[in-house]
Every structure is written in C-alpha cells, then in structure tokens.
C-alpha cells in the first residue's frame, strides 16, 4: 500500500514539474525567471519531493530494521500514518495538477497547496526522528534479501540518492566531508552493481546460501539500512553528519575486516556458482573503482582468478600454511590496491608510480605461484611446461617495463628485482631443458624450486624490513635493533639458499616452508605503507605481527641449530690471555672500520660485542694480577679464554665464508658470553669489598725502568782461553783437531766464539769459518755455511751439487791456514762428511769442535784428550751474577750480598744458569725480601729435580716473563736450533702475530725491538751479529733455551715444530727433489689441530703430505737443507687447508711461474713471504687488505707490482729481492693512494723520466728504502738528475744502486734525518761528497762499487760530524787525505777490495772513539798502515784478511 501512495505522489509531483517547465518555455518575456512566486514554487516542489523520498526510504527500512513482532507492536502505526498522509498529499497535488493551475498562471493557488503539504511532511519528519531514536536498539532483518531481491536493489539505490542529497544540502568544503561522501557513494554504487550481478544469477538458478555469502550480505545490508536511517535522521533533524560517514568505513576496501568479508564472498560465489558467475571482474571493478583499462586491472584478473580457484583444503597438511600465506599476501596486495584507489575522487587515475610498484609485486607473485605449482606437481616434467616457460618470459618482459617507471628512490630496488627474476627465469629454463633431456630427477627439480622460491621470498622480506627502517612512523613503536636482528635472521636464511649450503631432506624442506610462510607475513606488512594515513590501529597490528614473527624466527633458528654441528674443539693458546683479548678487540675494530661486507650478517651484533669483551678483559686482568686460589675464578677465566678463542675463530670463518652454521655458532657464542658476564657480575658483587693479596713475585715487584743497553758480558775464563788459543796457534804444522767438551750451559760455544774472535787467532789464520752442526744436520747446509764465511754465496754457488760444493770449499782452503769451528757436534759422522773438503797442506790449519759428548771428541782425535771446560767457582759465579745485575750501578748493596751469593751457589757453576737468573734479579725490586723469595723458589725447584738445575732455572726465568714477552720468547721455537735469526724478520713476524702492543709514543717496529732487547737483557736471547749502526742484526737462543721454547710452546698450545723425525715424515724417502709441477699426485692430507705450525722438512715431503690445519693461524716452512729451489711445487692446497692464516712463510719453496691467485682468499694474512719464478703479482693481491709484510723472493730478474698495491693501506714492509717495477695505468700516478703505514721498501726500480718524486711522496712515513735508479734511456735528455728525496722526513736508511752515465748535475737532495746511506756505482767525483758529509745525523756510510770515482779523496772539516761506521768497498781511490778531526765519532772502519789505496790515514791512531779496523783484499801497504795504527793504539781491534 505504501508503495502505491508514494508512486501516486511521484506522479503528481512529476506532472506539476512538467507544467512549470512548460510555463517557462512559453514565457517570451522572461519575466518568470525573476518571479519570486515561480522560484518559490520550484524550490518547494523539489524540497517536498526529496522529503517524500526520505520518508519512503524510512518506511522501507523499518521492515529491514526490526522483526515482525516489533514492527507490529511499536512502529507499524507510524508507517501507516506516513503512508496515509502521503496518499492524502498525493490526492491534493493530483487535483492541482489535473486543473492545470500552473499552465493558467494561477501560481499562488498552487504554491499554497504545496506549502500546506510541506508543513504536513515537516510534522512527519519530526515524528519519524523520534521513531528512529527508538529503533536504534533493534537489529536488522536480512533474511528476505534474495527473496525480495529487486526491492533491496531499489532500496540501495534510494539510499545512495539520499546520501548525495545530504551531501548537496549540508555540503561544506571547510569540513572536509566532500571527498568522504563521494567515496561512500562510489562504494555503495559498486557494491550494488556487484550484488545485483550475483543476485540475478542466484534468483534465476536457485542456490544454497553458505556462511561466507550470508556474512557478506548481512554486513552490506546492515550498512545500507543504517545508512538509510541515518540519512533520514540527519535529514529530519539536520544533525549528525559524522554518524553517516562512520558507516562509510564499514564498506571501504581499505577496511581489513570488510575486505576479508568481501574476499571470502567472492570465493564462495565462485565456488557455489561453479564458475558460472565471473565474479572476479566484478570484485575488481569495486576495488579499482571501474578503472578497468590499465595494466593493474589486467594483471590482477589472472592473479586473483588463480587464488579464487585455489582449493587449499585439497592440499597436503604440509603445504596448507604455505599456500595460505601465499593467498594471504595476494589479499594484502589487493588490500593495498584499495589504498591506491581510495582517493580517486580528486583525480581520474591513481599515482602511476604506485601502480608500477604494485605491478612489480604482482610479477614476483606470479613467479612464486608458478614455482609453487612446480614444487607440488613438477609440471616442468610435462608437455605443458613449454607453455609455462613462454608465459614466464612474458612476465619478465613486463617486469622490466614496470621497473622503468618507478619512483626515483626505488629505481635501484627495481634493478635488483629484475636481476633476481632474470636469474630465477634462467634457472627455470635450465631445469626445463634438463627435464626434457632427462638429466634431472624429479626430486632434484623440487629441491631447486624450493631454493628459488625461498630466494624470492627472502628478497621481498628484506625489502620490507629496509622500508621499515626508513619509516619514522613504525620506529616510534618498533625498536630499530629489533628490525636489525630480524634482518640478521634473513641474512642467515639467505646464506642457506644462495649458496645451497644444506642438503634438502624432509626436515630441511619443512624448515624452508616455515621460513617462507613467516617471511611472507613480513612482506604483507609492506602494503600498509600504501595507506594515505597510517592509523594507530594499523601500527599496532604491524607491531604485533612483527613481534609474533620474531618468535617464529627464533623457533626456526632453533630447528636449524639442531641440524648444525658443534663448534670444533681445538687447542687454545694459553700463553697470553689478555694479549689475545686485545687482538680480538683490535680485529673487531678493523672490521667495523672497513665495514667489510662479509660480516654483514653479524655486523649489528659486533657493535655491542666489544663492550662485553672489554668487560671480560678487565676480569681476566684482575685474575692475572692476583694470586687467588679460588677454583671457580680459575675455571671461569679459562672459560672466558676458550669462548674468546672460539669467537675469534667463528668471526674469522664468517669473514671468509658466511656459512649459515658459522652464523649460528656466532649466535651461540654471544649467548655464552652473556651468561659468562652474568656469572662474573655475580662474583664481583660478592667480592667487591674483599682485598686480594698478591703472594707471588708479580709484575709489581719488577722494576719498570726502561730497557737497558745490550750487555753481552760474560766471565772471561782467561786461563781456559789461553789453553785453547795455544792449541790452535802452536804445535804441529799438520792439520789438527781441537775439542772442547762440557755439559749443557757450561759455556762451550761462548768460549769457542771468544777464541774465534780473538785478534791473535784472527791474525794467525788466513781463513776462518763457523758452522753449527746440532743433533740434526744437513751436509750441504754445513758446506754452504763455511763457504759463506770464507767467500760469500752467489746464485752460482747455490746451484752447485754437493760434490761441487766440496770441491769449491777445498779450493778455497787450499794453501791457506784456516780455522773451521764445528759447534755443537753430536756425531762423528758430521766431521767425517766434511773432513775431505779440509785439505792438509801442513801449514798449521785447525778444526775446533765443541760437544757435550766425550765419546765424540775421542773419536775425532783418539790420541789427544779433549779440553774439559770447568764449572765456575763460587766466586766466579757471584762475580758474573753481580756484573750482569749491577753493571751500571757498581757494586751490590750490602744487604743483598748474602742472598745474592746463595742464589749464585744454587746455579751450580753453570754460566747459563747464572746469566738466566740474573735476568730475573735485574728486573726484580732490589729488596732483601724479594730476592729471598726467588732464592726459596729456586731452591725448591732444584730439590725436586737436582739432576737438571739449569733447566729449572731456565724454567723459572720463563715463568717470570711478562705475558707479552712469553709469546715473543716462545716464538724462537719456530726457528731452527743453532741458527742465526734475522732480527728484521723476527720483528715483522711478532707484529703480524699480534705480540706487539700499539704505543702512541713508538711505532710497532721500535716497540718490538724493545721486546727483543729486554729478552737479551734477561739473558734469554744471544746477539749473534750487529749491524753497522750497532743495532742487532741476527740473534739466537741457546740449545737448552730452544728446547725450553719447544717444550713450553707445546704445553701451552702455542706452537708445534714438525721435523722429519715426526710421523708421518719419518717414513718418507730422503729425496729432496719433487715431481713435476703438473704431474703431482697428492696423498691424503695430514691434519693438525694447533694454533701455529712450523715445518722443517724436505720440500717434496711438505708438499706431498698436503698438511691441513682448519684452526691454524701461522704456517712457517723451513727447508731442512738448502737445495736451491729451482723445482716448482704446487702449493695451491694451502688456501683450502689453512683458511685462517695470519702468517704464511713459504720463502723456501719455488711456487712456480705465476703467483697463486688462491692466496687472495687468505684475507686474514698479515705476513706473506713467497718465492718463485713469477715475474708479476696479480692485481687481486689488494684483497689481502690486512697484509702488513709482503716479501717476494723472485727467482727472475724483476717482478712487476700491480697498481692495486697502492690500495693496500695496511702495508708496513714491502720487499722484492731483485727489483720491483710498477704496472702503471694511464694517468694513474696522481690517483694512487698514499701508503701512510709503509716503513720499509725494497727494491723499487725508478727510471729517470718517471715522476719518481710523485711516487715517493705517497710514502711519507718511509724509514728504510733500498732502490735502483737508472738513467734516462732517452738520448735527447741532457739532464740526468737524481730525484729529490728531502721530503721523506722519516727516512733513516737509504741504499741506492745506480745504472747509467754519471749524474748531471752530480748532486743529491737527501733527508736531513738520514742515518744510514749506501751508494753503489754512481762514479761521482770526490769533490761532490760534501752533499753527503753535511747530513747532520748520518752515522753509517757505505760507498760500494765505484760509488765515487777518482784517485784522491781530500776530506774537509765540518763534514761527517756524527759518522760512526764507514765502509769503502771496490773503489779506485789511491790517496785518502784525512785526519782524526774529520771523523770525530768514528767507531768502525771497513776497507775491502780497494786495490789502489796506498794506506789508511795514520792520524786515525789518535781517534779516541775508533774501536775496529777491518781490511780485506787490499794492498800490502794498506795492511802495513793498519798494523802501525794498531801498534800505536792497542785499544783498536784490527782484522786483516
């Protein structure tokens, strides 16, 4: 009934409106346009029409708002009243319309009727408002939706019109409602279209309602009814616009709850209609606001259709979560599309950049779904695979296009997406081809697909997390460190999939699928960023989702840990725990400074790790400085050290290979450190008020005075010396053997060395040589040692066979009175091996042997008793001890004499024991109680083991070393017994090993030299040779101390020396020449579990054994004989078997014609020494960014250094034994980096014409330079000037070899700080030497091979004021005019091979500072002049040979 009355009202209103319109058209005067009656009538007709539409909507909504009982009881009468009144008004208006009052011009009559009708409606509106307020408490009745389908659609349309009427009547731009009303209207219109299309099919075909459809319809109906009533209420009361707009959000696609309802509805309709209703386009029409012509719509159609048709319930339980996560991501993508299209009321199309961003995500999802299909069914194995591959190619092409139109800040990200998908596409095509050729099994396809799928998911999740980091909104609630930790987890998973570092088992597959599901949830968070305004509710949802994912990530990590092996257990060096912690902290600082990409998975954790390690370092320091007997503290200290060592090992592993298990190990160790710190904190809280008593001789009792000068004083047993000298210089003219026998440490070598250097002996014998035999010896090595002392070694001599060497030695000794010292002889065979090379010309030659074995001496000379070296007397022992301790202070204080003599007596007359104990006493506080404690400690040791007092004293000396000196001392075990050790090499190795602490006051080399000098002062190290400037050139340790080093190094897991007596090498053959470089067949590797390895083997044995040390940090190889390394050996195994090396010394092995590129993988190297026939170094050497010492013993003429050498900022020492050339790129000399740390460099080849000065200015801190300078090869150049070097202000030592014509001009510009200068082959006139003489700090000058040319050198005053050492070698000088005033500080003069020189200036006899003159291969007149100087000044030592 109501409908008929409202329709009659519509008919009457339409008639009146048509008549009014006709009247306007027929008015030719135009007066009606301005007639107020006409305007009022037109307005009133419109208003009464709209009011009636609202009343009709209200009446229609009542039945949908209430149930039948409520309707009949409460609101039915009001609906009837509205219907009756509308019928009454319709009748009145119909009468007016039938009489055509408007056409007749009777406007007042019509206006009166309309006004009266409007008044009646106003009363109804007020009453209806009261009814609405009553109806609010009742629910909606929607059961009749599809049974009354057409009316519902009409009702939705009328509600939509009412909504726009409200908008037009109450529109106010300042309130910002316009856009929301328009969006509300658009959503209602599109939903009406969607429901109408679906409803028409279901009303015609019949259907069964399911829950998803019912829920959606109920929700939309509820919103429509409530909107209808609220619009009516707003119209009636003219209030509550906000109440209407709140309802808009309930049907907005950006509302997550409604979007979920809508998506379920689409799937349910698709399923119920058996795909007869194409609901997806309808759904996208709603989502995209009918924008169906763009790429986004076309791409979404296929993607959404796939998801809608996916039957998750048919999947296996294993894949339900994964498939659900895929669908969930697509739903969230569609949800994001809603955000893009939400504000379209202000423009015709969405932001194209945002659309392209979504399009790239769609392409990725298509690849994912393709891979999911392959994983589930491996359709690549079917014929349909070819079609799918073709479709994938189209997706890749589209993706490239989409990525070109991204925002500027996302262009790089787009390139990464394209690269990833191209990689995946290529892999898929390869899989398809393999499947077709039946080269790949189905299980392998599944494994590969799983890896590819996880790669894509990981990439997307990482992108989202990076966006989270950039979003200030989310970071207000999500801590940045939480996101960083999650990113670390992604890096961990990425390592697993990118390098396929895990076997795909069923358990692993399950983990991968859980990873994918979790990571897709991260990706879903990205669509929130498309929202114009991110609400607090959305932020809260993101946070909860993220925190839930963190928990899931931990669960996945735990599962991976169950599959991961335990951290290897290896021997931890226990020598210097604090030093090791310092080294670890330094390494972490370096990694953070260089921001090395290989530690990216753990970099965030490394930042916080340092403070924890510093805390534990302080704990270790407290323990080391106390004498606590607390077992808990001791065990905890060991636990700290073990954990730190494992941590260093794992971090180094991650740097070279960030394998997932290494990263998990790192996480475990972080947890271990956290637990240790908690335990230490609890202990500190318990003991914070307790004082720790120190009851041992600690570092506090040691004097902190600076390192004293080198003291090599020993007791001069003059009576013993005279006996030996007498046997050597007198007696039979036949070749004779003299033996010194005595127990270890008694001073046999010291006595022999003293006799060997005695002036009488030096003068008596024409040739002298020294060789150390030791228990294990090589005949060839002994021959070379002897020849070296007599005539020097050359490449020609190195290349000789043993037989040629014997013949060479015999010729050198023939017709010369010689003295050969064979020190430390253990077996007569060594003497027998050499004796035939010692000719007997019956001119008094002697062989002096030292041995601890009486039997050996008797076998060497059966008819003469050896000389038994006696022990020191008590008085001699005390004198030696006093001299070693108080050599600078005079006599011993009286209160220390008694206890001092007790200590001396405990040494049992052994000089080595006295010297060793003096090293302790010299640094101990000189108080009676301190010395008494040492005496008691020494006495108790000797009582326990009275047979080896010397070893006990040496052990005590070691125990009293500071931790950093213990490491330095034990390192002597890495060198051969009885061999001189080059100090420069020793110092560089110490630095590379991390034994030398950084000190702002001193550079590392000077600090290391201080350590050496302290060991010398403690009488643990002996000086073998000194440099011309007085500094130590070579050193060694006594046999017993070497044994102590090896024993203690093994006990402390510090170092292991492998010799040919160790297995498996004892069973190897004795051949020392190897297989051909390319015909090498390896045996099984010999494994070692030790921190440092030193091999003393034959080269072939070392290479054949292919030793392996996964935890080894230092590898030193020493060939046990000196066969010239012509044969090439393949050492490529080292980079795989020793990945963590800091030190690699292969100087004794020819590694071939090319530098092994595998070496660049050893990124931890600090020290690298190589030898080979190579002529160049590859540019990849700069990958060794930590390298400090680089030594190449090239066996060819020159070695070309790459330009990248200038990128190696850590280099301190660069040495090429012949000469080094540079490989310069065009215009690169100005662009090369400055090597601020380089302090020594040899031997660069610097041809004239190259910008030498520009090169050397890159080496501003150079202290030592050995270089080769060559004249210009361009004949047109008249100038051949030596480059300026005065800008090298730190340079102290310079050696220059020159090739070419005489310099023009013949001038030098040298640094004023220069202390040592060696010139070769310059052929400068002597009058130019003043350029050198004016150097104020010059102490050593060596003029070699015609460095200056001419017969006369006239020295001038004011030159060489500080010169201490002068060598003239192979010069054509004849007259040397000088006086003692010209060289006021000269200590030593060496003149050799100066055949024309007439004499050494006799005035030198008055030089108070002169200590030695050595003359070799000069004229007899020179020798005579030197002898005269000796006669005039007996204090000067003269050596003539």
């Amino acid at each position: 009934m109501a409908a008929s009355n409202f329709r009659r009202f519509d008919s009457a209103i339409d008639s009146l409106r048509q008549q009014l319109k006709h009247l306007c058209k027929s008015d030719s005067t135009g007066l009606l346009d301005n007639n107020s009656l006409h305007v009022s009538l037109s307005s009133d007709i419109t208003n009464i029409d709209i009011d009636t539409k609202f009343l009709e909507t209200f009446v229609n909504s009542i039945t949908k708002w209430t149930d039948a009982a409520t309707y009949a009881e409460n609101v039915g009468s009001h609906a009837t009243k509205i219907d009756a009144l509308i019928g009454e008004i319709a009748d009145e208006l119909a009468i007016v319309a039938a009489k055509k009052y408007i056409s007749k011009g009777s406007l007042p009559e019509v206006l009166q009727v309309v006004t009266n009708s409007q008044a009646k409606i106003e009363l109804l509106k007020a009453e209806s408002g009261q009814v609405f307020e009553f109806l609010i408490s009742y629910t909606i009745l929607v059961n009749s939706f599809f049974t009354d389908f057409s009316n519902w659609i009409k009702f939705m349309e009328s509600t939509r019109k009412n909504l726009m009427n409200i908008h037009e009547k109450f529109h106010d731009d300042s309130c910002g409602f316009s856009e929301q009303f328009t969006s509300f209207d658009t959503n209602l219109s599109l939903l009406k279209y969607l429901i109408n299309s679906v409803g028409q099919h279901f009303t015609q075909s019949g259907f069964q309602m399911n829950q998803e459809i019912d829920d959606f319809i109920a929700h939309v109906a509820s919103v429509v009814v409530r909107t209808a009533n609220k619009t009516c209420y707003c119209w009636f009361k003219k209030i509550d616009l906000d109440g209407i707009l709140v309802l808009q959000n309930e049907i907005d696609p950006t509302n997550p709850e409604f979007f979920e309802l809508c998506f379920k509805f689409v799937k349910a309709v698709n399923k119920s209609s058996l795909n007869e209703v194409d609901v997806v386009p309808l759904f996208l029409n709603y989502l995209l606001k009918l924008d169906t012509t763009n790429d986004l719509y076309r791409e979404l159609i296929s993607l959404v259709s796939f998801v809608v048709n996916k039957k998750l319930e048919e999947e296996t339980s294993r894949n339900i979560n994964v498939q659900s996560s895929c669908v969930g991501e697509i739903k969230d993508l569609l949800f994001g599309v809603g955000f893009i299209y939400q504000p379209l009321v202000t423009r015709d199309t969405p932001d194209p950049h945002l659309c392209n961003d979504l399009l790239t995500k769609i392409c990725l999802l298509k690849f994912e779904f393709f891979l999911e299909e392959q994983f589930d069914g491996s359709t690549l194995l079917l014929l349909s695979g070819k079609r799918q591959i073709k479709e994938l190619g189209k997706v890749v092409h589209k993706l490239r296009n989409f990525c070109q139109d991204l925002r500027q800040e996302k262009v790089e990200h787009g390139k990464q997406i394209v690269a990833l998908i191209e990689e995946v596409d290529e892999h898929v095509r390869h899989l398809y081809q393999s499947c077709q050729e039946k080269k790949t099994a189905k299980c392998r396809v599944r494994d590969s697909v799983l890896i590819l799928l996880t790669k894509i998911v990981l990439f997307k999740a990482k992108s989202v997390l990076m966006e989270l980091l950039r979003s200030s909104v989310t970071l207000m609630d999500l801590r940045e460190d939480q996101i960083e930790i999650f990113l670390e987890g992604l890096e961990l998973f990425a390592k697993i999939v990118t390098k396929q570092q895990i076997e795909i088992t069923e358990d692993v597959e399950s983990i991968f699928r859980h990873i994918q599901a979790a990571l897709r949830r991260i990706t879903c968070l990205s669509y929130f960023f498309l929202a114009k305004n991110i609400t607090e509710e959305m932020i809260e949802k993101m946070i909860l989702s993220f925190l839930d994912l963190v928990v899931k990530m931990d669960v996945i990590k735990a599962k991976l840990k169950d599959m991961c092996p335990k951290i290897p257990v290896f021997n931890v060096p226990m020598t210097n725990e604090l030093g090791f912690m310092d080294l670890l902290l330094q390494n972490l600082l370096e990694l953070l400074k260089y921001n090395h990409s290989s530690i990216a998975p753990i970099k965030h954790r490394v930042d916080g790790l340092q403070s924890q390690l510093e805390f534990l370092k302080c704990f270790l320091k407290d323990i080391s400085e106390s004498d606590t007997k607390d077992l808990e503290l001791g065990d905890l200290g060991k636990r700290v050290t073990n954990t730190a060592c494992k941590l260093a090992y794992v971090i180094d592993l991650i740097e070279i290979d960030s394998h997932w298990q290494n990263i998990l190990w790192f996480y475990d160790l972080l947890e271990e450190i956290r637990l240790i710190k908690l335990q230490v904190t609890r202990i500190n809280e318990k003991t914070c008020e307790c004082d720790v008593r120190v009851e041992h001789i600690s570092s506090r009792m040691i004097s902190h005075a600076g390192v004293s000068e080198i003291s090599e004083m020993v007791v001069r047993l003059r009576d013993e010396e005279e006996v030996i000298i007498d046997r050597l210089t007198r007696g039979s003219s036949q070749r004779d053997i003299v033996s010194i026998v005595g127990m270890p440490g008694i001073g046999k070598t010291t006595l022999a060395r003293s006799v060997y250097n005695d002036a009488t002996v030096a003068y008596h014998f024409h040739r002298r040589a020294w060789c150390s035999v030791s228990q294990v010896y090589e005949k060839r090595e002994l021959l070379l040692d002897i020849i070296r002392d007599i005539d020097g070694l050359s490449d020609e001599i190195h290349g000789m066979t043993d037989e040629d060497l014997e013949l060479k030695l015999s010729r050198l000794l023939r017709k010369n009175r010689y003295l050969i010292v064979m020190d430390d002889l253990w077996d007569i065979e060594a003497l027998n091996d050499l004796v035939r090379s010692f000719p007997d010309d019956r001119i008094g030659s002697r062989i002096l042997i030292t041995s601890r074995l009486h039997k050996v001496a008797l076998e060497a000379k059966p008819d003469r008793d050896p000389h038994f070296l006696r022990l020191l007397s008590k008085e001699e022992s005390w004198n030696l001890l006093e001299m070693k301790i108080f050599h600078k202070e005079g006599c011993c204080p009286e209160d220390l004499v008694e206890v001092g003599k007790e200590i001396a007596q405990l040494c049992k007359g052994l000089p080595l024991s006295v010297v060793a104990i003096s090293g302790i006493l010299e640094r101990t506080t000189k108080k009676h109680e301190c010395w008494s404690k040492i005496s008691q400690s020494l006495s108790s040791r000797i009582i326990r083991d009275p047979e080896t007092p010397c070893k006990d004293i040496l052990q005590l000396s070691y125990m009293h070393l500071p931790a950093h000196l213990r490491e330095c001392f034990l390192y002597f075990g890495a060198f051969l017994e009885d061999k001189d050790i080059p100090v420069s090499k020793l110092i560089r190795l110490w630095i590379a090993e991390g034994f030398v602490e950084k000190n702002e006051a001193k550079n590392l080399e000077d600090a290391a030299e201080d350590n050496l000098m302290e060991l010398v002062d403690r009488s643990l190290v002996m000086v073998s040779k000194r440099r011309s400037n007085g500094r130590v050139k070579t050193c060694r340790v006594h046999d017993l101390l070497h044994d102590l080093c090896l024993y203690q190094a093994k006990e402390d897991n510090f170092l292991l020396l492998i010799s040919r007596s160790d297995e498996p090498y004892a069973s190897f053959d004795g051949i020392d020449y190897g297989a051909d470089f390319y015909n090498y067949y390896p045996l099984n590797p010999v494994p070692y579990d030790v921190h440092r390895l030193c091999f003393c083997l034959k080269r072939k044995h070392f290479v054949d054994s292919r030793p392996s040390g996964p935890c080894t940090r230092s590898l030193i190889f020493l060939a046990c004989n000196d066969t010239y390394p012509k044969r090439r050996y393949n050492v490529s195994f080292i980079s795989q078997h020793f990945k963590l090396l800091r030190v690699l010394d292969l100087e004794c092995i020819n590694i071939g014609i090319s530098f092994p590129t595998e070496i660049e993988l050893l990124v931890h190297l600090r020290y690298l020494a190589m030898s080979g026939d190579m002529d160049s170094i590859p540019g990849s050497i700069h990958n060794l960014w930590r390298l400090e010492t680089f030594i190449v013993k090239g066996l060819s003429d020159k070695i070309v250094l790459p330009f990248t050498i200038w990128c190696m900022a850590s280099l301190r020492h660069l040495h090429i034994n012949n000469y080094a050339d540079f490989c310069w790129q065009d215009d690169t000399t100005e662009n090369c980096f400055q090597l601020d740390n380089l302090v020594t460099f040899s031997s660069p080849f610097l041809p004239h014409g190259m910008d030498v000065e520009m090169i050397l200015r890159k080496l501003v801190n150079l202290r030592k330079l050995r270089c080769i300078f060559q004249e210009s090869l361009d004949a047109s150049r008249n100038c051949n000037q030596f480059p300026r070097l005065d800008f090298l202000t730190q340079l102290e030592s310079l050696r220059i070899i020159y090739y070419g014509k005489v310099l023009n001009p013949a001038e030098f510009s040298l640094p004023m700080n220069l202390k040592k200068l060696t010139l070769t082959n310059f052929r400068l006139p002597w009058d130019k030497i003043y350029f050198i003489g004016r150097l104020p700090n010059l102490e050593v000058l060596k003029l070699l091979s015609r460095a200056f040319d001419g017969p006369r050198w006239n020295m001038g005053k004011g030159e060489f004021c500080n010169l201490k050492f002068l060598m003239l070698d192979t010069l054509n000088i004849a007259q040397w005019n000088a006086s003692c005033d010209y060289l006021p500080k000269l200590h030593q003069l060496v003149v050799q091979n100066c055949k024309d020189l007439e004499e050494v200036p006799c005035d030198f006899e008055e030089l108070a500072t002169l200590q030695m003159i050595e003359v070799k291969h000069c004229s007899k007149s020179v020798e005579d002049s030197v002898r005269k100087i000796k006669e005039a000044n007996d204090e000067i030592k003269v050596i003539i040979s």
Side-chain angles (χ1 to χ4, degrees), residues 1188-1199:
E1188 297 170 346
T1189 297
F1190 186 30
I1191 299 171
V1192 182
K1193 186 179 178 182
L1195 304 179
S1196 58
D1197 289 339
K1198 72 172 181 177
I1199 290 181

Side-chain angles (χ1 to χ4, degrees), residues 146 193-202 265 269 277 279 282:
F146 283 113
Y193 181 71
L194 170 63
I195 294 172
N196 187 33
S197 300
V198 173
Q200 287 180 4
H201 170 78
F202 281 123
F265 170 75
V269 169
V277 177
V279 70
L282 298 172

Side-chain angles (χ1 to χ4, degrees), residues 157-172:
E157 178 62 22
S158 65
T159 300
R160 193 180 70 82
K161 289 180 179 179
N162 288 349
L163 183 68
M164 295 313 296
N165 284 329
I166 292 289
H167 176 217
E168 290 175 7
K169 186 168 185 177
F170 301 107
H171 171 63
D172 184 356

Side-chain angles (χ1 to χ4, degrees), residues 372-388:
E372 285 289 353
E373 284 188 317
Q374 307 315 310
F375 188 77
D376 294 337
S378 296
T379 57
L380 279 175
L381 301 171
L382 305 176
L383 294 176
S384 61
K386 186 174 183 179
R387 176 183 57 78
Q388 291 177 314

Side-chain angles (χ1 to χ4, degrees), residues 1022-1041:
M1022 299 183 293
V1023 175
S1024 301
K1025 296 178 183 177
R1026 292 188 177 276
R1027 297 185 180 278
S1028 52
N1029 58 6
R1031 300 171 79 169
V1032 181
K1033 182 176 184 179
T1034 62
C1035 62
R1036 63 166 65 188
V1037 294
H1038 191 277
D1039 295 356
L1040 292 179
L1041 287 168

Side-chain angles (χ1 to χ4, degrees), residues 124-192:
L124 282 177
K125 286 166 61 177
E127 293 179 17
S128 296
Q130 294 175 357
V131 172
F132 174 81
E133 292 170 353
F134 167 77
L135 291 175
I136 290 176
S137 60
Y138 290 92
T139 57
I140 304 170
L141 182 66
V142 295
N143 292 335
S144 62
F145 188 96
F146 283 113
T147 58
D148 192 18
F149 176 71
S150 59
N151 284 331
W152 264 103
I153 296 301
K154 292 177 182 178
F155 178 65
M156 289 181 71
E157 178 62 22
S158 65
T159 300
R160 193 180 70 82
K161 289 180 179 179
N162 288 349
L163 183 68
M164 295 313 296
N165 284 329
I166 292 289
H167 176 217
E168 290 175 7
K169 186 168 185 177
F170 301 107
H171 171 63
D172 184 356
D173 287 335
S174 63
C175 297
F177 292 143
S178 178
E179 185 175 328
Q180 296 180 57
F181 270 108
T182 305
S183 179
F184 199 174
D185 176 62
T186 303
N187 288 334
L188 276 175
S189 176
L190 293 172
L191 283 173
K192 186 196 76 170

Side-chain angles (χ1 to χ4, degrees), residues 123 519 1221:
L123 293 174
L519 296 184
D1221 204 352

